[in-house]
Amino acid sequence: MNLMDPTTYMGASQCQNDRLADLIEFGPNPGGLNAKIYIPENLPADAPLVVVLHGSKQTAAEYDMGAGWSEIADQYGVALLFPEQQRVNNLMLGFNWFVPVDGHRDAGEPLSILHMVEKVVSDHGIDRRRIFITGLSSGGAMTSVMLATYPEIFAGGAIIAGLPYGSAATLSAALLRMKGLGSPTAEQLEARLRNASVHEGPWPTLSVWHGSGDRTVYPSNANAILEQWRALHDLEKRPSSTYIVNGYPRRVWSDAEGRELIEEYSITGMGHGTPLKTHGKNSYGASGDYMLEVNISSTRHIADFWGLSAA
């Protein structure tokens, strides 16, 4: 899915499985975003929160229907927050990760999302040590922004077909970076990530997912994300371990105590979208445009990487 592509997604607003409720009066909203939530019945005290960011030409409800996050929320006892772009801000409904005001702490869309998080935490007694964020495409790029600008808020993040923080500051640059062209150096990207906040650690864990056949956001962006965060965590370039999961390679970088800090799934041959397993055991969501049936549920594996299933 091109982050600026006018191609229609899944029949636009005709989502038939909208389980989400509006979050209103969450405070100042400089980014002009909408907010949706999903709170399971009998949510336990000190539950975790997952912030879910849709891709361009998607709504929050459409992305939830495809990825199956509300199914995970019911199963694991997790609160969900879905920031949602408005067409007045971006005609393609993508998050404005490449606009300077929307790429910095305490401004624009990041500050709106922070206020949403604080509202849900306050209203539902969320465990502040277990706040996570994930997103696809422009939502994946905005996940990079949120992890960079508010690393003290998030225990972990998951970037699906996204881009590294600080890779573009204009629309024309963003379109080039999506094609893997003209990226800043690894050293520049590391410096931009470190300088995005005054935080000095500990840092969020990170899960990175990308299709090896993605020609909308090229897989070189996944490599750039990994380089940024390996440097921040002071990890070696060589992974600590490698696995095959549902037929796809998973690489893991762990600390000296064996704690998994970064994981990467490269989905062989997959194009641009969220990897899904929609049939059989451990299946979630529904396939559609940019919600891709490839026999592995990124939603489930991300939740497990964050320890939500154990909770």
Side-chain angles (χ1 to χ4, degrees):
M1 171 178 28
N2 190 319
L3 282 82
M4 290 295 146
D5 192 339
T7 304
T8 301
Y9 169 81
M10 291 177 68
S13 61
Q14 301 302 312
C15 179
Q16 301 301 313
N17 191 32
D18 187 353
R19 308 178 71 192
L20 312 184
D22 291 323
L23 177 67
I24 57 176
E25 297 181 357
F26 52 81
N29 186 14
L33 301 176
N34 290 331
K36 306 283 187 176
I37 56 172
Y38 182 76
I39 308 298
E41 293 184 15
N42 303 314
L43 184 74
D46 295 320
L49 170 67
V50 176
V51 182
V52 183
L53 301 175
H54 62 82
S56 300
K57 294 299 295 181
Q58 292 176 318
T59 66
E62 287 167 345
Y63 191 73
D64 178 54
M65 180 179 69
W69 270 107
S70 59
E71 299 173 55
I72 287 284
D74 286 337
Q75 184 174 348
Y76 293 168
V78 177
L80 300 176
L81 165 64
F82 295 82
E84 186 176 63
Q85 187 59 276
Q86 298 193 78
R87 201 170 298 279
V88 67
N89 300 325
N90 185 300
L91 286 175
M92 301 301 112
L93 296 179
F95 291 96
N96 291 310
W97 58 275
F98 53 86
V99 176
V101 72
D102 294 311
H104 289 88
R105 185 181 176 99
D106 298 337
E109 292 176 10
L111 186 55
S112 292
I113 294 171
L114 177 69
H115 289 154
M116 296 174 195
V117 169
E118 291 296 332
K119 175 66 171 175
V120 177
V121 168
S122 174
D123 285 354
H124 299 283
I126 298 300
D127 182 353
R128 288 187 176 273
R129 299 167 299 176
R130 294 190 294 155
I131 301 175
F132 305 91
I133 186 166
T134 182
L136 164 68
S137 195
S138 69
M142 184 53 72
T143 296
S144 288
V145 171
M146 295 304 298
L147 292 172
T149 55
Y150 296 106
E152 76 279 13
I153 297 296
F154 298 103
I159 300 170
I160 304 172
L163 296 97
Y165 175 74
S167 57
T170 65
L171 173 56
S172 59
L175 295 171
L176 287 173
R177 304 301 179 264
M178 288 162 55
K179 298 299 184 183
L181 301 173
S183 177
T185 66
E187 292 76 16
Q188 288 171 326
L189 288 175
E190 177 189 346
R192 292 173 190 181
L193 180 57
R194 289 188 184 277
N195 294 334
S197 78
V198 298
H199 188 64
E200 296 182 349
W203 303 103
T205 61
L206 184 66
S207 180
V208 177
W209 294 72
H210 219 109
S212 69
D214 193 335
R215 292 298 176 264
T216 299
V217 178
Y218 276 46
S220 59
N221 286 287
N223 294 330
I225 293 167
L226 291 170
E227 287 189 12
Q228 269 195 323
W229 284 90
R230 283 199 308 261
L232 202 66
H233 281 288
D234 194 24
L235 297 170
E236 299 292 333
K237 184 172 183 178
R238 182 186 296 273
S240 307
S241 54
T242 59
Y243 306 87
I244 298 296
V245 180
N246 289 41
Y248 300 109
R250 175 185 185 242
R251 298 192 294 168
V252 177
W253 288 263
S254 302
D255 63 15
E257 289 72 42
R259 177 173 176 248
E260 295 184 351
L261 300 180
I262 299 175
E263 68 169 4
E264 181 219 17
Y265 283 85
S266 178
I267 308 303
T268 312
M270 190 185 78
H272 189 64
T274 293
L276 302 177
K277 182 178 187 292
T278 59
H279 304 286
K281 185 179 180 181
N282 295 321
S283 61
Y284 300 90
S287 60
D289 291 350
Y290 315 113
M291 310 302 294
L292 305 178
E293 171 58 60
V294 290
N295 196 43
I296 185 169
S297 171
S298 55
T299 307
R300 178 223 166 184
H301 285 285
I302 289 166
D304 290 348
F305 180 65
W306 290 338
L308 300 183
S309 56

